[in-house]
Amino acid sequence: MSKLHLVFGGRVRDPRGVDFVDTSAIEIVGVFPDYASAEKAWRAAAQRTVDDAEMKFVVVHLHRLLEPALTTPGTAV
């Protein structure tokens, strides 16, 4: 199974959370086949906006959303 990762970001109300101010303005960086490439893209996007404390980029593990049973401890597949 591919372990897809989504990188996206935007302006947040509080930099400690992920409450995005305007979901229609979220920037989709891309979908990546592994965590290493997603992290590289995340770092590049975050570095571009390093001076803006209200901008936040995140990595979402899409494979965990698509196959939640695979990440639940003690669950047989």
Side-chain angles (χ1 to χ4, degrees):
M1 178 180 92
S2 296
K3 297 211 172 179
L4 299 175
H5 297 79
L6 169 65
V7 179
F8 70 92
R11 190 162 305 283
V12 291
R13 296 186 197 290
D14 180 348
R16 295 171 293 184
V18 289
D19 184 15
F20 291 95
V21 174
D22 182 4
T23 55
S24 67
I26 286 179
E27 176 185 342
I28 305 295
V29 178
V31 176
F32 301 89
D34 54 57
Y35 184 79
S37 57
E39 182 182 27
K40 185 176 179 180
W42 167 80
R43 286 186 187 280
Q47 187 62 39
R48 264 191 303 107
T49 61
V50 71
D51 292 331
D52 186 348
E54 294 178 342
M55 289 296 288
K56 183 171 191 171
F57 286 86
V58 295
V59 176
V60 177
H61 302 268
L62 290 178
H63 59 279
R64 291 181 181 169
L65 296 173
L66 296 171
E67 295 285 341
L70 296 178
T71 59
T72 305
T75 303
V77 178

